[in-house]
Amino acid sequence: GRKWPVVLDPTVAIGPDQITDCHIGSGPLADTSMCNNEFLEVGYGNSSQGYFVRRLLMKFDLSAIPQSAVVREADLKLTRKSAGQVAATFPVQAYRVARDWTTSATWNTSGTAAWTGGLYGPTQIDRRSVDNTAAEVHFYPAYLVQLWVNKTQANQGLVLKSQNEATIGHARFASSTNTDVASRPTMSVDWTVQHGQRETNTFVSKPLTDRCEAGANVANGNLLVRCQELSVGGVGQPVQISRYYNSGNGPTFLNRADAPLGINRWRVSS
């Protein structure tokens, strides 16, 4: 069978085995855990217990993506299993969950601490319209995935909620344990290797000569060398000429020859 995560460098497919999900409900289900349910529900509508709000929680295992990665795109796919009560369409919002939670989560608790309907926000990550046609729905949380990958934000997952939880409209999606394997949620993350030095990088540097210094990115091994070749003072700005080596840059070729030049990956700056 298929093994998750599937890595197609530089794309990582986060499969159902790397996703923790559940939905939580207000009112009569506020103290009931639904984290091992076959379905995930979002919105507001009626049931045998009466009218109540449903919100959807999801967490993702991103360990297959290096901390130094630059996330280009993230595509979360959910498959609708039934329309629920939807007159036409209703908007569903995605927010960052601001407190960690367990599979014991309910409307009233994260599984470890009290909350009300989940602690989230404040910035909307994405918003998509859900209609009464059973189909795939895609959310694109690339910005948030980047923060999780480089550990700027704790990876505590997403909450999906109806924008207007006083208006009737709810939908049912397949969960990560749904019996229809093809309908289970997945997230595809397209990323690239980050080269060069940024504020978020940790470099170990060492002087080579009185004019050259080398530094290595401890996360991905990217090697940078800078050599100041000339500095001439004068009126206004001084004239400076430096050479830079970046192991992440492509090789430089002479007249499209197969062999790289001796100055492979060096650049001159003035």
Side-chain angles (χ1 to χ4, degrees), residues 22-224:
C22 67
H23 70 273
I24 55 178
S26 65
L29 296 179
D31 293 311
T32 301
S33 175
M34 294 174 281
C35 290
N36 294 309
N37 200 301
E38 188 177 356
F39 301 103
L40 303 168
E41 297 187 13
V42 62
Y44 174 72
N46 196 11
S47 74
S48 59
Q49 290 92 358
Y51 286 89
F52 61 93
V53 176
R54 297 112 162 135
R55 293 175 181 170
L56 193 163
L57 301 172
M58 305 189 83
K59 279 196 293 191
F60 311 92
D61 180 357
L62 303 176
S63 58
I65 305 174
Q67 186 177 347
S68 59
V70 176
V71 176
R72 293 176 173 173
E73 183 177 298
D75 180 352
L76 170 62
K77 183 199 78 172
L78 298 174
T79 302
R80 291 274 306 285
K81 301 304 287 185
S82 66
Q85 296 166 309
V86 183
T89 64
F90 72 101
V92 174
Q93 302 168 299
Y95 287 90
R96 172 184 64 87
V97 178
R99 173 177 290 166
D100 203 11
W101 50 279
T102 72
T103 52
S104 297
T106 69
W107 188 268
N108 287 334
T109 178
S110 67
T112 58
W115 67 10
T116 301
L119 187 64
Y120 62 89
T123 304
Q124 176 182 282
I125 302 302
D126 198 5
R127 183 180 66 181
R128 299 289 154 180
S129 291
V130 174
D131 59 27
N132 54 9
T133 303
E136 293 180 358
V137 179
H138 294 257
F139 291 85
Y140 300 93
Y143 171 74
L144 183 56
V145 172
Q146 179 68 78
L147 299 182
W148 289 337
V149 166
N150 63 27
K151 302 189 186 306
T152 303
Q153 290 280 1
N155 182 0
Q156 295 167 160
L158 286 172
V159 58
L160 302 182
K161 61 182 290 292
S162 173
Q163 181 171 313
N164 187 348
E165 294 180 323
T167 299
I168 293 178
H170 83 273
R172 175 178 288 182
F173 299 95
S175 76
S176 60
T177 57
N178 193 275
T179 54
D180 181 3
V181 175
S183 296
R184 294 174 180 177
T186 62
M187 184 167 71
S188 171
V189 180
D190 183 25
W191 61 275
T192 186
V193 176
Q194 174 184 287
H195 299 299
Q197 189 165 4
R198 303 187 182 186
E199 292 183 358
T200 56
N201 300 146
T202 300
F203 270 77
V204 175
S205 300
K206 183 178 180 62
L208 302 178
T209 69
D210 60 341
R211 294 182 297 126
C212 294
E213 181 180 67
N217 187 319
V218 299
N220 62 13
N222 182 206
L223 174 64
L224 303 179

